[in-house]
Amino acid sequence: MPLVTWIKAGTSATALVLATAGAAYAAPSVEPPSAQAAVVTLRYDDSRAAGWEAAIAAGVASWNANVTNVRLVEAAPGGAAEIVIVATTGWPQATLGPVRPGRQVRVELGSQAVNQGYNKTRIAAHELGHSLGLPDTKPGPCSQLMSGSSAGTACTNAVPNATERSRVQSNYVNGVTSSVVTDGRTLVDAP
């Protein structure tokens, strides 16, 4: 085959490849909305948790900043809530989740722990962790939010570590269709 024929054939093939590539680029593949991760919204009611509002807000902010497929939002006054938070005089305790929309768990933020020197924000974030399906990891270091009181009164860490974040993400991986159900046990966080 003469050189001129090779050049013409090569030029035609290159033009065809470029035209095909241009068409593919012009119409990029887009993931269907159903393939994107669903975000589960859980409402909390702290209207009976006087004195804990700032700690609860900080605990909620910590979880919302560290997990992507579940969002904690304050319930409208008098509205339904999946997480009911109350202040008590005993030790902090909570129902072990993961809670689902339309279901309900209870968090008790006990002043006995605060009176002994434990950090309010850590307590609130820890108890919310139970609602999201995390059990205690006692004994444990301060870097584990779910180590709770075993980390000591000097611990103020209210941020879930990578393992804790991953477990919550797994609990809500398929949105409300996840097969994980609320455990229902009440976990008391006394030392």
Side-chain angles (χ1 to χ4, degrees), residues 54-148:
I56 294 166
V60 164
S62 179
W63 279 109
N64 284 344
N66 284 286
V67 293
T68 58
N69 59 358
V70 62
R71 283 282 155 243
L72 302 175
V73 298
E74 191 168 3
E82 285 80 17
I83 304 170
V84 176
I85 307 171
V86 298
T88 69
T89 57
W91 276 96
Q93 56 186 306
T95 309
L96 181 59
V99 67
R100 296 286 180 238
R103 304 277 172 97
Q104 194 173 78
V105 295
R106 181 178 171 97
V107 168
E108 295 184 12
L109 300 176
S111 62
Q112 190 170 352
V114 176
N115 295 341
Q116 291 195 15
Y118 291 96
N119 179 270
K120 279 182 146 182
T121 300
R122 179 173 168 83
I123 292 168
H126 174 91
E127 298 306 326
L128 288 168
H130 288 320
S131 297
L132 298 174
L134 298 178
D136 287 315
T137 55
K138 294 179 180 181
C142 183
S143 61
Q144 292 177 343
L145 176 60
M146 300 314 292
S147 68

Coordinates of all heavy atoms in Angstrom, one line a residue, residues 54-148:
A54 N -26.5 23.7 75.2 CA -25.2 23.9 74.5 C -24.4 22.6 74.2 O -23.9 22.4 73.2 CB -24.4 24.9 75.3
A55 N -24.4 21.7 75.2 CA -23.8 20.5 75.1 C -24.4 19.6 74.0 O -23.7 19.0 73.2 CB -23.7 19.7 76.4
I56 N -25.7 19.6 74.0 CA -26.5 18.8 73.0 C -26.2 19.4 71.6 O -25.9 18.7 70.7 CB -28.0 18.9 73.3 CG1 -28.3 18.1 74.6 CG2 -28.8 18.3 72.1 CD1 -29.7 18.3 75.1
A57 N -26.2 20.7 71.4 CA -25.9 21.4 70.1 C -24.5 21.0 69.7 O -24.3 20.7 68.5 CB -26.1 22.9 70.2
A58 N -23.6 21.0 70.6 CA -22.2 20.7 70.2 C -22.1 19.2 69.9 O -21.4 18.8 68.9 CB -21.2 21.0 71.4
G59 N -22.8 18.3 70.6 CA -22.7 16.9 70.3 C -23.4 16.6 68.9 O -22.9 15.8 68.2
V60 N -24.5 17.2 68.7 CA -25.2 17.1 67.4 C -24.3 17.6 66.3 O -24.1 16.9 65.2 CB -26.5 17.8 67.4 CG1 -27.1 18.0 66.0 CG2 -27.6 17.1 68.2
A61 N -23.6 18.7 66.5 CA -22.7 19.3 65.4 C -21.6 18.3 65.2 O -21.2 18.2 64.0 CB -22.2 20.6 65.9
S62 N -21.1 17.7 66.2 CA -20.0 16.7 66.0 C -20.4 15.6 65.2 O -19.7 15.2 64.2 CB -19.5 16.2 67.4 OG -18.4 15.3 67.2
W63 N -21.5 15.0 65.4 CA -22.0 13.9 64.6 C -22.3 14.3 63.2 O -21.9 13.6 62.2 CB -23.2 13.2 65.2 CG -22.8 12.3 66.3 CD1 -23.0 12.4 67.7 CD2 -22.1 11.0 66.1 NE1 -22.4 11.4 68.3 CE2 -21.9 10.5 67.4 CE3 -21.6 10.3 65.0 CZ2 -21.2 9.3 67.6 CZ3 -21.0 9.1 65.2 CH2 -20.8 8.6 66.5
N64 N -23.0 15.5 63.0 CA -23.3 15.9 61.7 C -22.1 16.3 60.9 O -22.1 16.1 59.6 CB -24.2 17.2 61.8 CG -25.6 16.8 62.1 OD1 -26.0 15.6 62.0 ND2 -26.4 17.7 62.5
A65 N -21.0 16.7 61.5 CA -19.7 17.0 60.8 C -18.9 15.7 60.5 O -18.1 15.8 59.6 CB -18.9 17.9 61.6
N66 N -19.3 14.6 61.1 CA -18.4 13.4 60.9 C -19.1 12.2 60.3 O -18.4 11.2 60.0 CB -17.9 13.0 62.3 CG -16.8 13.9 62.8 OD1 -15.7 13.8 62.3 ND2 -17.1 14.8 63.7
V67 N -20.4 12.3 60.0 CA -21.0 11.2 59.2 C -21.8 11.9 58.1 O -22.3 13.0 58.3 CB -21.9 10.3 60.1 CG1 -21.1 9.5 61.1 CG2 -23.0 11.1 60.8
T68 N -22.0 11.2 57.0 CA -22.6 11.8 55.8 C -24.0 11.3 55.5 O -24.7 12.0 54.8 CB -21.7 11.7 54.6 OG1 -21.5 10.3 54.4 CG2 -20.4 12.4 54.8
N69 N -24.3 10.1 56.0 CA -25.6 9.6 55.6 C -26.7 9.6 56.7 O -27.8 9.0 56.5 CB -25.5 8.2 55.0 CG -24.8 7.2 56.0 OD1 -24.5 7.5 57.1 ND2 -24.7 5.9 55.6
V70 N -26.4 10.3 57.7 CA -27.5 10.5 58.8 C -27.3 12.0 59.3 O -26.2 12.4 59.4 CB -27.4 9.5 59.9 CG1 -26.1 9.6 60.6 CG2 -28.5 9.6 60.9
R71 N -28.4 12.7 59.4 CA -28.4 14.1 59.9 C -29.3 14.2 61.1 O -30.5 13.7 61.1 CB -29.0 15.0 58.9 CG -28.0 15.3 57.8 CD -27.0 16.3 58.2 NE -25.8 16.2 57.4 CZ -24.6 15.8 57.8 NH1 -24.4 15.6 59.1 NH2 -23.6 15.7 57.0
L72 N -28.8 14.8 62.2 CA -29.6 15.1 63.4 C -30.1 16.5 63.3 O -29.3 17.4 63.1 CB -28.7 14.9 64.6 CG -28.1 13.5 64.8 CD1 -27.2 13.5 66.0 CD2 -29.2 12.4 64.9
V73 N -31.4 16.7 63.4 CA -32.0 18.0 63.4 C -32.9 18.2 64.6 O -33.5 17.2 65.0 CB -32.7 18.3 62.1 CG1 -31.8 18.2 60.9 CG2 -33.9 17.3 61.9
E74 N -33.0 19.4 65.1 CA -33.9 19.7 66.2 C -35.4 19.6 65.7 O -35.7 20.1 64.7 CB -33.6 21.0 66.8 CG -34.4 21.3 68.1 CD -33.9 22.5 68.8 OE1 -33.0 23.2 68.3 OE2 -34.4 22.7 69.9
A75 N -36.2 18.9 66.4 CA -37.6 18.7 66.1 C -38.3 20.1 66.3 O -37.9 20.8 67.2 CB -38.3 17.6 66.9
A76 N -39.3 20.3 65.6 CA -40.2 21.5 65.8 C -40.9 21.4 67.2 O -41.2 20.2 67.6 CB -41.2 21.6 64.7
P77 N -41.1 22.5 67.9 CA -41.7 22.4 69.2 C -43.1 21.6 69.1 O -43.9 21.9 68.2 CB -42.0 23.9 69.5 CG -40.9 24.6 68.8 CD -40.7 23.8 67.5
G78 N -43.2 20.6 69.9 CA -44.4 19.8 69.9 C -44.4 18.8 68.8 O -45.4 18.0 68.8
G79 N -43.4 18.8 68.0 CA -43.4 17.8 66.9 C -42.8 16.5 67.3 O -42.3 16.3 68.3
A80 N -43.0 15.5 66.4 CA -42.4 14.2 66.6 C -40.9 14.2 66.6 O -40.3 15.0 65.9 CB -43.0 13.2 65.5
A81 N -40.3 13.3 67.4 CA -38.9 13.2 67.4 C -38.5 11.7 67.6 O -39.1 11.0 68.3 CB -38.3 14.0 68.5
E82 N -37.4 11.3 66.9 CA -36.9 10.0 67.1 C -36.0 9.8 68.3 O -36.0 8.8 68.9 CB -36.1 9.5 65.8 CG -36.9 9.2 64.6 CD -37.4 10.5 63.8 OE1 -36.8 11.6 64.0 OE2 -38.3 10.3 63.0
I83 N -35.4 10.9 68.7 CA -34.5 10.9 69.9 C -35.1 11.9 70.9 O -35.1 13.1 70.6 CB -33.1 11.3 69.5 CG1 -32.5 10.3 68.4 CG2 -32.2 11.2 70.7 CD1 -31.2 10.8 67.8
V84 N -35.5 11.4 72.0 CA -36.1 12.2 73.1 C -35.0 12.3 74.1 O -34.5 11.3 74.6 CB -37.3 11.6 73.7 CG1 -37.8 12.4 74.9 CG2 -38.4 11.5 72.6
I85 N -34.6 13.6 74.4 CA -33.5 13.8 75.3 C -34.0 14.5 76.6 O -34.7 15.5 76.5 CB -32.4 14.7 74.7 CG1 -31.9 14.1 73.3 CG2 -31.2 14.9 75.6 CD1 -31.0 15.0 72.5
V86 N -33.7 14.0 77.7 CA -34.1 14.5 79.0 C -33.0 14.7 80.0 O -32.0 13.9 79.9 CB -35.3 13.7 79.7 CG1 -36.5 13.6 78.8 CG2 -34.8 12.3 80.0
A87 N -33.1 15.7 80.8 CA -32.1 15.8 81.9 C -32.5 15.1 83.1 O -33.7 15.1 83.5 CB -31.9 17.3 82.2
T88 N -31.6 14.4 83.8 CA -32.0 13.6 85.0 C -30.9 13.9 86.1 O -29.9 14.5 85.8 CB -32.0 12.1 84.7 OG1 -30.7 11.6 84.5 CG2 -33.0 11.8 83.6
T89 N -31.2 13.3 87.3 CA -30.2 13.5 88.3 C -29.3 12.3 88.4 O -28.3 12.3 89.2 CB -30.9 13.7 89.7 OG1 -31.8 12.6 89.9 CG2 -31.7 15.0 89.7
G90 N -29.6 11.2 87.7 CA -28.8 10.0 87.8 C -27.6 10.0 86.8 O -27.1 11.0 86.4
W91 N -27.1 8.8 86.4 CA -26.1 8.6 85.5 C -26.6 8.7 84.1 O -27.8 8.3 83.8 CB -25.4 7.3 85.7 CG -24.3 7.4 86.7 CD1 -24.5 7.1 88.0 CD2 -23.0 8.0 86.6 NE1 -23.3 7.4 88.7 CE2 -22.4 7.9 87.9 CE3 -22.3 8.5 85.5 CZ2 -21.1 8.4 88.1 CZ3 -21.0 8.9 85.8 CH2 -20.4 8.9 87.0
P92 N -25.8 9.2 83.1 CA -26.3 9.3 81.7 C -26.6 7.8 81.2 O -26.0 6.9 81.6 CB -25.1 9.8 81.0 CG -24.3 10.6 82.0 CD -24.5 9.8 83.3
Q93 N -27.6 7.8 80.4 CA -28.0 6.5 79.8 C -28.8 6.7 78.5 O -29.3 7.8 78.3 CB -28.8 5.6 80.8 CG -30.0 6.2 81.4 CD -30.7 5.4 82.4 OE1 -30.9 4.2 82.2 NE2 -30.9 5.9 83.6
A94 N -28.8 5.7 77.7 CA -29.6 5.8 76.4 C -30.0 4.5 75.9 O -29.4 3.5 76.2 CB -28.7 6.5 75.4
T95 N -31.0 4.5 75.1 CA -31.5 3.3 74.4 C -30.5 3.1 73.2 O -30.2 4.0 72.5 CB -32.9 3.5 73.8 OG1 -33.8 4.0 74.8 CG2 -33.4 2.2 73.2
L96 N -30.1 1.8 73.1 CA -29.2 1.5 72.0 C -29.9 1.3 70.7 O -30.9 0.6 70.6 CB -28.4 0.2 72.3 CG -27.4 -0.3 71.3 CD1 -26.3 0.7 71.1 CD2 -26.8 -1.6 71.7
G97 N -29.5 2.1 69.7 CA -30.2 2.1 68.4 C -29.5 1.1 67.5 O -29.0 0.1 68.0
P98 N -29.5 1.3 66.2 CA -29.7 2.6 65.5 C -31.2 2.8 65.4 O -32.0 2.0 64.9 CB -29.1 2.4 64.2 CG -29.1 0.9 63.9 CD -29.0 0.3 65.3
V99 N -31.6 4.0 65.8 CA -33.0 4.5 65.6 C -33.3 4.7 64.2 O -32.4 5.2 63.4 CB -33.3 5.7 66.5 CG1 -32.5 6.9 66.1 CG2 -34.8 6.0 66.6
R100 N -34.5 4.5 63.8 CA -35.0 4.7 62.4 C -36.1 5.8 62.5 O -36.8 6.0 63.5 CB -35.6 3.4 61.8 CG -34.6 2.3 61.7 CD -33.7 2.7 60.5 NE -32.7 1.6 60.4 CZ -31.4 1.8 60.4 NH1 -30.9 3.0 60.6 NH2 -30.5 0.9 60.2
P101 N -36.3 6.5 61.4 CA -37.4 7.5 61.3 C -38.7 6.8 61.7 O -39.0 5.7 61.2 CB -37.4 7.9 59.8 CG -35.9 7.8 59.4 CD -35.5 6.5 60.1
G102 N -39.5 7.5 62.5 CA -40.8 7.0 62.9 C -40.7 6.1 64.2 O -41.7 5.8 64.8
R103 N -39.5 5.7 64.6 CA -39.2 5.0 65.8 C -38.7 6.0 66.9 O -38.5 7.1 66.6 CB -38.2 3.9 65.6 CG -38.6 2.9 64.5 CD -39.5 1.8 65.0 NE -40.0 1.0 63.9 CZ -39.5 -0.2 63.5 NH1 -38.5 -0.6 64.2 NH2 -40.1 -0.8 62.5
Q104 N -38.5 5.5 68.1 CA -38.1 6.4 69.1 C -37.1 5.8 70.1 O -37.3 4.6 70.5 CB -39.3 7.0 69.9 CG -39.0 8.2 70.7 CD -40.2 8.8 71.3 OE1 -40.8 8.4 72.2 NE2 -40.6 9.9 70.6
V105 N -36.1 6.5 70.5 CA -35.2 6.1 71.6 C -35.1 7.3 72.6 O -35.5 8.4 72.3 CB -33.8 5.8 71.1 CG1 -33.8 4.6 70.2 CG2 -33.2 7.0 70.3
R106 N -34.6 7.0 73.8 CA -34.5 7.9 74.8 C -33.1 8.1 75.3 O -32.4 7.1 75.4 CB -35.4 7.5 76.0 CG -35.4 8.4 77.2 CD -36.4 7.8 78.2 NE -36.3 8.5 79.5 CZ -37.1 9.5 79.9 NH1 -38.1 9.9 79.1 NH2 -37.0 10.1 81.0
V107 N -32.7 9.3 75.5 CA -31.4 9.7 76.0 C -31.6 10.4 77.3 O -32.4 11.4 77.3 CB -30.6 10.6 75.0 CG1 -29.4 11.2 75.7 CG2 -30.2 9.8 73.8
E108 N -30.9 10.0 78.4 CA -31.0 10.7 79.6 C -29.6 11.2 80.0 O -28.6 10.5 80.0 CB -31.4 9.7 80.7 CG -32.9 9.2 80.5 CD -33.4 8.3 81.7 OE1 -32.7 8.2 82.7 OE2 -34.4 7.7 81.5
L109 N -29.5 12.5 80.1 CA -28.3 13.2 80.4 C -28.2 13.5 81.9 O -28.9 14.4 82.4 CB -28.2 14.5 79.6 CG -28.2 14.3 78.1 CD1 -28.2 15.6 77.3 CD2 -27.0 13.4 77.6
G110 N -27.5 12.6 82.6 CA -27.5 12.6 84.0 C -26.5 13.6 84.7 O -25.3 13.6 84.3
S111 N -27.0 14.3 85.6 CA -26.1 15.3 86.3 C -25.1 14.7 87.2 O -24.1 15.3 87.6 CB -27.0 16.3 87.1 OG -27.7 15.7 88.1
Q112 N -25.3 13.4 87.6 CA -24.4 12.7 88.5 C -23.0 12.7 87.9 O -22.0 12.8 88.5 CB -24.9 11.3 88.9 CG -24.1 10.7 90.0 CD -24.8 9.4 90.5 OE1 -25.9 9.1 90.1 NE2 -24.1 8.7 91.3
A113 N -22.9 12.4 86.6 CA -21.7 12.4 85.9 C -21.0 13.7 85.9 O -19.8 13.9 86.1 CB -21.8 11.9 84.5
V114 N -21.8 14.8 85.6 CA -21.2 16.1 85.6 C -20.7 16.5 87.0 O -19.7 17.1 87.1 CB -22.3 17.2 85.1 CG1 -21.8 18.6 85.2 CG2 -22.7 16.8 83.7
N115 N -21.5 16.1 88.0 CA -21.1 16.4 89.4 C -19.7 15.7 89.8 O -19.0 16.2 90.6 CB -22.1 16.0 90.4 CG -23.4 16.8 90.3 OD1 -23.4 17.9 89.7 ND2 -24.5 16.3 90.8
Q116 N -19.4 14.6 89.1 CA -18.2 13.9 89.3 C -17.1 14.4 88.4 O -16.0 13.9 88.4 CB -18.4 12.4 89.2 CG -19.2 11.9 90.4 CD -19.2 10.4 90.5 OE1 -18.3 9.7 89.9 NE2 -20.1 9.9 91.3
G117 N -17.4 15.4 87.5 CA -16.3 16.0 86.7 C -16.3 15.7 85.3 O -15.4 16.1 84.5
Y118 N -17.2 14.9 84.8 CA -17.3 14.5 83.4 C -17.8 15.7 82.5 O -18.6 16.4 83.0 CB -18.1 13.2 83.1 CG -17.4 12.0 83.7 CD1 -17.8 11.6 85.0 CD2 -16.4 11.3 83.0 CE1 -17.2 10.5 85.6 CE2 -15.8 10.2 83.6 CZ -16.2 9.8 84.9 OH -15.6 8.7 85.4
N119 N -17.3 15.8 81.3 CA -17.6 16.8 80.4 C -19.0 16.7 79.7 O -19.3 15.6 79.2 CB -16.5 16.9 79.3 CG -16.7 17.9 78.3 OD1 -17.4 17.7 77.3 ND2 -16.2 19.1 78.5
K120 N -19.8 17.7 79.8 CA -21.2 17.7 79.3 C -21.2 17.4 77.8 O -22.1 16.6 77.4 CB -21.9 19.0 79.6 CG -22.4 19.1 81.0 CD -23.2 20.5 81.1 CE -24.4 20.3 82.0 NZ -25.1 21.6 82.1
T121 N -20.4 18.0 77.0 CA -20.4 17.9 75.6 C -20.0 16.4 75.2 O -20.7 15.8 74.4 CB -19.5 18.9 74.9 OG1 -20.0 20.2 75.2 CG2 -19.5 18.7 73.3
R122 N -19.0 15.9 75.9 CA -18.6 14.5 75.6 C -19.8 13.5 76.0 O -20.1 12.6 75.3 CB -17.4 14.1 76.4 CG -16.9 12.7 76.2 CD -15.6 12.4 76.8 NE -15.3 11.0 76.9 CZ -14.8 10.3 75.9 NH1 -14.5 10.8 74.7 NH2 -14.5 9.0 76.1
I123 N -20.4 13.8 77.1 CA -21.6 13.0 77.5 C -22.7 13.0 76.5 O -23.2 12.0 76.1 CB -22.1 13.5 78.9 CG1 -21.1 13.2 80.0 CG2 -23.5 12.8 79.2 CD1 -21.5 13.9 81.3
A124 N -23.0 14.2 76.0 CA -24.1 14.3 75.0 C -23.8 13.6 73.7 O -24.6 12.9 73.2 CB -24.4 15.8 74.8
A125 N -22.5 13.8 73.2 CA -22.1 13.2 72.0 C -22.1 11.7 72.2 O -22.5 10.9 71.3 CB -20.8 13.7 71.5
H126 N -21.6 11.2 73.3 CA -21.5 9.8 73.6 C -22.9 9.1 73.6 O -23.2 8.1 73.0 CB -20.8 9.6 74.9 CG -20.8 8.2 75.4 ND1 -19.8 7.3 75.1 CD2 -21.7 7.5 76.2 CE1 -20.1 6.1 75.7 NE2 -21.2 6.2 76.3
E127 N -23.9 9.8 74.3 CA -25.2 9.2 74.4 C -25.9 9.2 73.0 O -26.6 8.3 72.7 CB -26.0 10.0 75.5 CG -25.5 9.9 76.9 CD -25.2 8.5 77.4 OE1 -26.0 7.5 77.0 OE2 -24.3 8.3 78.1
L128 N -25.7 10.3 72.2 CA -26.2 10.3 70.9 C -25.6 9.1 70.1 O -26.3 8.6 69.2 CB -25.9 11.6 70.2 CG -26.8 12.8 70.7 CD1 -26.2 14.1 70.2 CD2 -28.2 12.6 70.4
G129 N -24.4 8.8 70.3 CA -23.7 7.7 69.6 C -24.5 6.4 69.9 O -24.6 5.5 69.0
H130 N -25.0 6.2 71.1 CA -25.8 5.0 71.4 C -27.1 5.0 70.6 O -27.5 4.0 70.0 CB -26.2 5.0 72.9 CG -25.1 4.7 73.9 ND1 -24.1 3.7 73.6 CD2 -24.8 5.2 75.1 CE1 -23.3 3.6 74.6 NE2 -23.7 4.5 75.5
S131 N -27.7 6.2 70.4 CA -28.9 6.3 69.6 C -28.6 5.9 68.2 O -29.5 5.4 67.5 CB -29.5 7.7 69.7 OG -29.8 8.1 71.0
L132 N -27.4 6.2 67.7 CA -27.0 5.9 66.3 C -26.6 4.4 66.2 O -26.1 4.0 65.1 CB -26.0 6.8 65.9 CG -26.4 8.3 65.8 CD1 -25.3 9.2 65.5 CD2 -27.6 8.5 64.9
G133 N -26.6 3.6 67.3 CA -26.3 2.2 67.2 C -24.9 1.8 67.8 O -24.5 0.7 67.6
L134 N -24.2 2.7 68.4 CA -22.9 2.3 69.0 C -23.0 1.9 70.4 O -23.4 2.6 71.3 CB -21.9 3.5 68.8 CG -21.7 4.0 67.4 CD1 -20.7 5.2 67.5 CD2 -21.1 2.9 66.6
P135 N -22.4 0.7 70.7 CA -22.4 0.3 72.1 C -21.1 0.9 72.8 O -20.3 1.6 72.1 CB -22.2 -1.2 72.0 CG -21.4 -1.4 70.7 CD -22.0 -0.3 69.8
D136 N -21.0 0.7 74.1 CA -19.8 1.2 74.8 C -18.6 0.4 74.4 O -18.7 -0.8 74.0 CB -20.0 1.1 76.3 CG -21.0 2.1 76.9 OD1 -20.9 3.2 76.5 OD2 -21.9 1.7 77.7
T137 N -17.5 1.0 74.5 CA -16.2 0.4 74.2 C -15.3 0.5 75.5 O -14.2 1.1 75.4 CB -15.5 0.9 73.0 OG1 -15.3 2.3 73.1 CG2 -16.3 0.6 71.7
K138 N -15.8 0.1 76.6 CA -15.1 0.2 77.9 C -14.3 -1.0 78.2 O -14.8 -2.1 77.9 CB -16.1 0.5 79.0 CG -16.8 1.8 78.9 CD -17.8 1.9 80.0 CE -18.6 3.2 80.0 NZ -19.5 3.3 81.1
P139 N -13.1 -0.9 78.7 CA -12.4 0.4 78.9 C -11.8 0.8 77.6 O -11.6 0.0 76.7 CB -11.3 0.0 79.9 CG -11.0 -1.5 79.6 CD -12.4 -2.0 79.2
G140 N -11.6 2.1 77.5 CA -11.0 2.6 76.2 C -10.4 3.9 76.5 O -10.6 4.6 77.5
P141 N -9.6 4.4 75.5 CA -8.9 5.7 75.6 C -9.8 6.8 75.3 O -10.9 6.7 74.7 CB -7.8 5.5 74.5 CG -8.4 4.6 73.5 CD -9.3 3.6 74.2
C142 N -9.4 8.0 75.6 CA -10.1 9.2 75.3 C -10.4 9.4 73.8 O -11.4 10.0 73.5 CB -9.3 10.4 75.8 SG -10.1 12.0 75.7
S143 N -9.6 8.9 73.0 CA -9.8 9.0 71.5 C -11.0 8.3 71.0 O -11.5 8.5 69.9 CB -8.5 8.5 70.7 OG -8.3 7.2 71.0
Q144 N -11.5 7.4 71.8 CA -12.8 6.6 71.5 C -13.9 7.3 72.2 O -14.0 7.3 73.4 CB -12.7 5.2 71.9 CG -11.7 4.4 71.2 CD -11.7 2.9 71.7 OE1 -12.1 2.6 72.8 NE2 -11.1 2.0 70.9
L145 N -14.8 8.0 71.5 CA -15.9 8.6 72.1 C -16.8 7.6 72.9 O -17.3 8.0 74.0 CB -16.8 9.3 71.0 CG -18.1 9.9 71.4 CD1 -17.8 11.1 72.4 CD2 -18.8 10.5 70.2
M146 N -16.9 6.4 72.4 CA -17.7 5.5 73.0 C -17.1 4.8 74.2 O -17.7 3.9 74.8 CB -18.3 4.5 72.0 CG -19.1 5.1 70.9 SD -20.3 6.3 71.5 CE -21.5 5.3 72.3
S147 N -15.9 5.2 74.6 CA -15.2 4.7 75.8 C -15.9 5.3 77.0 O -15.7 4.8 78.1 CB -13.7 4.9 75.8 OG -13.4 6.3 75.9
G148 N -16.6 6.4 76.8 CA -17.4 7.0 77.9 C -16.6 7.3 79.1 O -15.5 7.9 79.0

